[in-house]
Structures are given as structure tokens and as C-alpha cells.
Amino acid sequence: MIAIKKICCIGAGYVGGPTMAVIAKYCPNIQIQVVDINKERIDSWNNNDLSKLPVFEPGLPEIIKAVRGSNLHFSTNLVDAIKNADMVFISVNTPIKKSGIGAGQSSDLRWVEACARQISKIALGHTIVVEKSTLPVRTAKTIKEILFATNDNSNKEKSFSVLSNPEFLAEGTAIKDLESPDRVLIGGEDLEAMLALKDIYLNWVTDEKIIFTNLWSSELSKLSANAFLAQRISSINSISAICEVTGANIQEVANAVGRDKRIGDKFLKAGPAFGGSCFKKDILNLVYLSKYYGLDQVAEYWEKVVDINYWQKNRIYEEIVKRLFGNLFDKKIAILGFAFKANTNDTRESPAIDICKNLINEGASLLIHDYKVSEKSIAKDLSSLDVNSWEYLPNVYDVIMETDAMVILTEWDAYKKLDWERISLHVRRPFWIFDTRSILEVDKLENLGFNIWQLGNGSNIK
Ligand code: NAD
Ligand code: UGA
């Protein structure tokens, strides 16, 4: 049995940081170096003020406090970290390609390839290379080719095993997901290497939850799992629109449908469209793969899940414009929530971005609030627009003051507990509330004289 003593993780992002923190917590005898080319990010991971960590995740600061500097280290020194490691995790970004063949659908593998080349050059002895990033099926073949192409005659002992170990954590619940995963998937060809990785997880995950597959099943399972999850959201979002025109209520429908054990009640929450860095990219990856192998019907099937997602964001924006008399010039709109979901500071693919851009293009001035997203992130996401068209304010009540409407885009718990009587005294009339997350009590708000449109709530029909 290969005993892993030193791990290097390339990529200190939303996956690399929390994943290595949890491994460090449960494996005190393993020394872990998390490395990144982004110095600012590494500095934030090393910040003594734990509220400044680059990733906001409940439970993460406590773990970082306990293990950082002991067996978990963050640095920009890739060379030393790779040289010393028995196992190297590749946990870098794999966004959609912006140009060239497969643009808009296939993954841009430049960062993964760069990692493979560096590992190939720098590693010493036998190194187990673990794909943690989500990758197109058969990427392990590319990684192997690059690793084994090294011409380093000075180190004849150099050898590699490549494993696929996709990550299933969701942001906002990353620590919980990592500490009690539904399963841990290990794909590979080298049983000894697979057992070495399994041995690490066995420190806190039970044996029956650890699945061994071949490399390609592991890579494909990750894309498929995300596609299935996203498909459920597009399904329930499509039904939310039917509710609005028929008088049904999406929460009642989701509850009734989800009570069937074969369907299950998870991931049936209608909303302003799925965001996050992965769902869209991973489905489009599946679409690209299907087209590549001539499976056009399969590609079209999955593409529809993404189409409905665009449509959902768009129809919300249209509902807002329609209710504000078709004109947003001289109107101030409060945006409550910019993160793609609650309990994260991540805005990648957040539906808030497209909805805000569309509202600004209609002439509205936006006042934006979020509990964890920084003004800097919002500015980056809205950089194509006039800076005077929106303003970020840290206090939620300041955002709502003297506005014509409010749009709830992220389901932060605190938005459910706002002081509506106080708000009612300081807004322009008529005032509209657009609740795209269905978190508010409609009757209570109507009694205070607010107009409210709630996603999937058929009682909107007036
Ligand atoms: P991220 O952008 O937050 O982090 C990636 C990091 O890798 C960045 O800090 C970047 O600077 C660094 N990097 C890129 N190339 C490098 C190189 N050559 N050397 C050193 N550092 C390098 O991305 P993420 O959200 O952590 O996602 C990483 C992967 O995990 C992606 O493939 C994603 O699809 C997958 N994934 C993400 C999540 C999630 O919730 N975010 C969940 C499961 C899987
Ligand atoms: C998702 C998956 O849940 C993870 O298993 C996976 O590892 C990860 O993608 C990944 O590969 O990146 P994440 O995107 O962090 O995790 O968050 P989710 O909770 O899945 O939410 C994604 C989006 O769907 C959010 O915008 C959320 O608001 C939306 N959503 C989710 C709904 O609209 N309704 C739901 O019922 C659930």
C-alpha cells in the first residue's frame, strides 16, 4: 500500500481551498500545500483575519484556524510543492472556451494542460495525479500523454498514475458536503493508486460510500450528475410559468410532486434560473461531447435545459418591465441579492447579472445589496455598463429607500425578516416587490399596500 505523506493541490479556489482544509482536518499526518498562481488569493488564504478568506463558506474559518500553518499551507511556490508531493490534485478552473473550435461549449483546458506540463517537469519519483477539476470525458488521456512525454533522462525513477476524483460539493454547504458526502468517486486504472486515495478518505468517510470506476465513467458521472441536477431546476422553472397563468402555485406543486419517493423533494425549488460556475458549463460540455460523437438528438435534449434557463431569467425581467408600466426611465429599483445562491460570495453565472443588465438597459437606476458579495465583484460583473447606472450599498434599508420596486434575487435568510412596516414608510408608490425566490408572505405584504409578484404564484393573476 502506498502511504501518502505529502499532498500538493494546484488551485486555491472554491474547491481546492475547502477540500484541502477538510483533508487536513481529518489527516493530521499528511502535509498539504495548496498552491496558486494568483498571489492575491494566496495572501487572502493566509490572512489572519479569517473574515477575509477568499471563499465564504459556513464552517470554513474554524477549520482553517485549526489546521493552517500546522499541516495545511497556502503558497505560490508551485515548484517546491510539486517536487515534494506523493499526490498532486489538479483543482484549477475549467471554464467554457471563448474562441476557436468548440467555442461556447467545450472546456478551455489551458490551465489543466499547464498543470500537467508543470507536474511532468517538476515531479520526482512516483506521483499520483488526481483530477479534481470537472473535465471533459477522456481528459485523463491528455493528462497522461503530457505527463509521460517528459524527456527527463536524469530522473529515471519518475512515474505517474492518473486518477479521476470529481468533487460534488455545492457552494454554501461545502464543508458539510465534504465532511459527509453522499459518495466519493475514484476512477482509475492503477488499483494501488486508487487504494492510496481511498485510504485518505477512509479517515472520515465510510467504506461503502467510496466508489471505484474506470476513468471515463468517473469523468462522465460528474458531468451527468450536474446535468441531472440542472435539468430538475429547468423542469420546475418551466412549471412555475404554467402556475402563473393557470392559478396554480409552484410551492404546492413542487411539494406534491416531490412527495413521490421516486422523484424526491430535493432540487425542486423554482427560482430566477440556475447560476454558479458549473451547471451551464458542464451541460454544454455534454452537448459538445454528444455532437462530437454524432449524437445530435442527445445534444439537443441537454441543450434545452440551458435554453429554459436563459428563458427563465429573461421572462422575469420582462415581468418587471411589464408591471412598471413598460417604462424604467427615472425609476429606481432595489436589487436584493447578487450571489447566485445564498451563503456564498460567488457571483459566477448569477442570474442577477443578466437581470440587472437588462433592467439598466431599459433605463432603470439600480441600488444593489448583498450580504457577502463585494462591490468590487459587482463592478466586475457589470463592467460593460455605465458606472452611474447602479450603486452598491451595504445596508439593506438604504437600498430600498425611495425606490419604485424591489427585486429579490438571492434567498438570503435575512431578507425574509425585513421590517416591512418600516420599508412601507420610505418607498415610492405604487411600489412593486418581485420575489423570484418565493420567500415572502404575499398576504402580509399586500395588507401593507405593496404590490407583489411572486414567481410561480398563480394568485398573481388579477
Ligand atoms: P476557481 O476559479 O475558484 O479556482 C481555480 C484556481 O486555480 C484559481 O485561483 C486560479 O488562479 C488557479 N490556477 C489556474 N491555473 C493554475 C496553474 N497553472 N497553477 C496554479 N494555479 C492555477 O475554480 P473552482 O470553483 O475552485 O473550480 C475548480 C474546478 O472544480 C472546476 O473544474 C470546477 O468545474 C470544479 N468544481 C467546482 C465546484 C464549485 O462549487 N465551485 C464544485 C465542484 C467542482
Ligand atoms: C452544484 C452542484 O449542486 C454540486 O453537486 C456540484 O459539485 C457543483 O454544482 C459544481 O460542480 O460546481 P452549486 O452550483 O455550488 O453546486 O450550487 P447548487 O446548490 O447546486 O445551486 C446551483 C444553482 O441552482 C443556484 O443558482 C441555485 O439557486 C439554483 N437552484 C438550486 C434552484 O434554483 N433550485 C433548486 O432547487 C436548487
Side-chain angles (χ1 to χ4, degrees), residues 324-336:
L324 297 181
F325 310 113
N327 164 43
L328 300 192
F329 273 94
D330 294 328
K331 296 220 167 93
K332 281 167 60 171
I333 301 180
I335 300 294
L336 269 61

PDB file of all heavy atoms in Angstrom, residues 324-336:
ATOM      1  N   LEU A 324     -44.101  47.619 -14.339  1.00  0.00           N
ATOM      2  CA  LEU A 324     -43.727  49.018 -14.070  1.00  0.00           C
ATOM      3  C   LEU A 324     -44.106  49.882 -15.278  1.00  0.00           C
ATOM      4  O   LEU A 324     -43.361  50.765 -15.694  1.00  0.00           O
ATOM      5  CB  LEU A 324     -42.238  49.108 -13.729  1.00  0.00           C
ATOM      6  CG  LEU A 324     -41.830  48.347 -12.458  1.00  0.00           C
ATOM      7  CD1 LEU A 324     -40.342  48.508 -12.176  1.00  0.00           C
ATOM      8  CD2 LEU A 324     -42.628  48.805 -11.238  1.00  0.00           C
ATOM      9  N   PHE A 325     -45.242  49.586 -15.851  1.00  0.00           N
ATOM     10  CA  PHE A 325     -45.860  50.363 -16.936  1.00  0.00           C
ATOM     11  C   PHE A 325     -45.013  50.390 -18.214  1.00  0.00           C
ATOM     12  O   PHE A 325     -45.077  51.342 -18.999  1.00  0.00           O
ATOM     13  CB  PHE A 325     -46.170  51.790 -16.473  1.00  0.00           C
ATOM     14  CG  PHE A 325     -46.911  51.832 -15.165  1.00  0.00           C
ATOM     15  CD1 PHE A 325     -46.326  52.356 -14.019  1.00  0.00           C
ATOM     16  CD2 PHE A 325     -48.199  51.306 -15.054  1.00  0.00           C
ATOM     17  CE1 PHE A 325     -46.998  52.370 -12.800  1.00  0.00           C
ATOM     18  CE2 PHE A 325     -48.876  51.326 -13.834  1.00  0.00           C
ATOM     19  CZ  PHE A 325     -48.282  51.847 -12.709  1.00  0.00           C
ATOM     20  N   GLY A 326     -44.174  49.369 -18.408  1.00  0.00           N
ATOM     21  CA  GLY A 326     -43.395  49.270 -19.650  1.00  0.00           C
ATOM     22  C   GLY A 326     -42.302  50.324 -19.768  1.00  0.00           C
ATOM     23  O   GLY A 326     -41.692  50.468 -20.830  1.00  0.00           O
ATOM     24  N   ASN A 327     -42.016  51.021 -18.681  1.00  0.00           N
ATOM     25  CA  ASN A 327     -41.021  52.092 -18.757  1.00  0.00           C
ATOM     26  C   ASN A 327     -40.179  52.135 -17.480  1.00  0.00           C
ATOM     27  O   ASN A 327     -40.715  52.249 -16.379  1.00  0.00           O
ATOM     28  CB  ASN A 327     -41.755  53.436 -18.914  1.00  0.00           C
ATOM     29  CG  ASN A 327     -40.827  54.593 -18.614  1.00  0.00           C
ATOM     30  OD1 ASN A 327     -39.658  54.599 -19.039  1.00  0.00           O
ATOM     31  ND2 ASN A 327     -41.313  55.551 -17.844  1.00  0.00           N
ATOM     32  N   LEU A 328     -38.858  52.049 -17.648  1.00  0.00           N
ATOM     33  CA  LEU A 328     -37.999  52.086 -16.458  1.00  0.00           C
ATOM     34  C   LEU A 328     -37.188  53.376 -16.349  1.00  0.00           C
ATOM     35  O   LEU A 328     -36.398  53.533 -15.417  1.00  0.00           O
ATOM     36  CB  LEU A 328     -37.064  50.877 -16.435  1.00  0.00           C
ATOM     37  CG  LEU A 328     -37.722  49.491 -16.398  1.00  0.00           C
ATOM     38  CD1 LEU A 328     -36.685  48.420 -16.092  1.00  0.00           C
ATOM     39  CD2 LEU A 328     -38.837  49.412 -15.364  1.00  0.00           C
ATOM     40  N   PHE A 329     -37.378  54.295 -17.288  1.00  0.00           N
ATOM     41  CA  PHE A 329     -36.652  55.572 -17.184  1.00  0.00           C
ATOM     42  C   PHE A 329     -37.096  56.304 -15.926  1.00  0.00           C
ATOM     43  O   PHE A 329     -38.278  56.292 -15.570  1.00  0.00           O
ATOM     44  CB  PHE A 329     -36.884  56.434 -18.432  1.00  0.00           C
ATOM     45  CG  PHE A 329     -35.885  56.092 -19.495  1.00  0.00           C
ATOM     46  CD1 PHE A 329     -36.200  55.153 -20.473  1.00  0.00           C
ATOM     47  CD2 PHE A 329     -34.612  56.648 -19.471  1.00  0.00           C
ATOM     48  CE1 PHE A 329     -35.267  54.792 -21.423  1.00  0.00           C
ATOM     49  CE2 PHE A 329     -33.675  56.287 -20.434  1.00  0.00           C
ATOM     50  CZ  PHE A 329     -34.006  55.358 -21.410  1.00  0.00           C
ATOM     51  N   ASP A 330     -36.148  56.897 -15.219  1.00  0.00           N
ATOM     52  CA  ASP A 330     -36.412  57.629 -13.970  1.00  0.00           C
ATOM     53  C   ASP A 330     -36.930  56.724 -12.858  1.00  0.00           C
ATOM     54  O   ASP A 330     -37.473  57.222 -11.875  1.00  0.00           O
ATOM     55  CB  ASP A 330     -37.418  58.772 -14.192  1.00  0.00           C
ATOM     56  CG  ASP A 330     -36.833  59.837 -15.100  1.00  0.00           C
ATOM     57  OD1 ASP A 330     -35.601  60.015 -15.043  1.00  0.00           O
ATOM     58  OD2 ASP A 330     -37.597  60.442 -15.866  1.00  0.00           O
ATOM     59  N   LYS A 331     -36.776  55.406 -13.022  1.00  0.00           N
ATOM     60  CA  LYS A 331     -37.231  54.528 -11.935  1.00  0.00           C
ATOM     61  C   LYS A 331     -36.012  53.972 -11.190  1.00  0.00           C
ATOM     62  O   LYS A 331     -34.987  53.648 -11.794  1.00  0.00           O
ATOM     63  CB  LYS A 331     -38.068  53.371 -12.500  1.00  0.00           C
ATOM     64  CG  LYS A 331     -39.364  53.863 -13.153  1.00  0.00           C
ATOM     65  CD  LYS A 331     -40.538  52.959 -12.837  1.00  0.00           C
ATOM     66  CE  LYS A 331     -41.843  53.639 -13.223  1.00  0.00           C
ATOM     67  NZ  LYS A 331     -42.291  53.310 -14.567  1.00  0.00           N
ATOM     68  N   LYS A 332     -36.180  53.885  -9.878  1.00  0.00           N
ATOM     69  CA  LYS A 332     -35.111  53.314  -9.040  1.00  0.00           C
ATOM     70  C   LYS A 332     -35.567  51.940  -8.567  1.00  0.00           C
ATOM     71  O   LYS A 332     -36.684  51.798  -8.044  1.00  0.00           O
ATOM     72  CB  LYS A 332     -34.846  54.231  -7.836  1.00  0.00           C
ATOM     73  CG  LYS A 332     -33.982  55.432  -8.242  1.00  0.00           C
ATOM     74  CD  LYS A 332     -33.911  56.529  -7.226  1.00  0.00           C
ATOM     75  CE  LYS A 332     -33.369  56.191  -5.887  1.00  0.00           C
ATOM     76  NZ  LYS A 332     -33.136  57.340  -5.016  1.00  0.00           N
ATOM     77  N   ILE A 333     -34.708  50.957  -8.778  1.00  0.00           N
ATOM     78  CA  ILE A 333     -35.073  49.591  -8.391  1.00  0.00           C
ATOM     79  C   ILE A 333     -34.028  49.037  -7.420  1.00  0.00           C
ATOM     80  O   ILE A 333     -32.816  49.109  -7.689  1.00  0.00           O
ATOM     81  CB  ILE A 333     -35.187  48.675  -9.633  1.00  0.00           C
ATOM     82  CG1 ILE A 333     -36.243  49.243 -10.601  1.00  0.00           C
ATOM     83  CG2 ILE A 333     -35.528  47.243  -9.245  1.00  0.00           C
ATOM     84  CD1 ILE A 333     -36.453  48.434 -11.860  1.00  0.00           C
ATOM     85  N   ALA A 334     -34.513  48.500  -6.307  1.00  0.00           N
ATOM     86  CA  ALA A 334     -33.610  47.880  -5.324  1.00  0.00           C
ATOM     87  C   ALA A 334     -33.409  46.411  -5.711  1.00  0.00           C
ATOM     88  O   ALA A 334     -34.380  45.696  -5.960  1.00  0.00           O
ATOM     89  CB  ALA A 334     -34.231  47.971  -3.936  1.00  0.00           C
ATOM     90  N   ILE A 335     -32.148  46.002  -5.755  1.00  0.00           N
ATOM     91  CA  ILE A 335     -31.830  44.602  -6.067  1.00  0.00           C
ATOM     92  C   ILE A 335     -31.357  43.952  -4.771  1.00  0.00           C
ATOM     93  O   ILE A 335     -30.325  44.340  -4.206  1.00  0.00           O
ATOM     94  CB  ILE A 335     -30.708  44.512  -7.139  1.00  0.00           C
ATOM     95  CG1 ILE A 335     -31.147  45.205  -8.436  1.00  0.00           C
ATOM     96  CG2 ILE A 335     -30.295  43.068  -7.387  1.00  0.00           C
ATOM     97  CD1 ILE A 335     -32.297  44.568  -9.162  1.00  0.00           C
ATOM     98  N   LEU A 336     -32.107  42.982  -4.299  1.00  0.00           N
ATOM     99  CA  LEU A 336     -31.737  42.310  -3.051  1.00  0.00           C
ATOM    100  C   LEU A 336     -31.094  40.963  -3.381  1.00  0.00           C
ATOM    101  O   LEU A 336     -31.776  40.005  -3.741  1.00  0.00           O
ATOM    102  CB  LEU A 336     -32.969  42.143  -2.145  1.00  0.00           C
ATOM    103  CG  LEU A 336     -33.189  43.323  -1.175  1.00  0.00           C
ATOM    104  CD1 LEU A 336     -33.400  44.619  -1.932  1.00  0.00           C
ATOM    105  CD2 LEU A 336     -34.342  43.059  -0.243  1.00  0.00           C
TER     106      LEU A 336
END
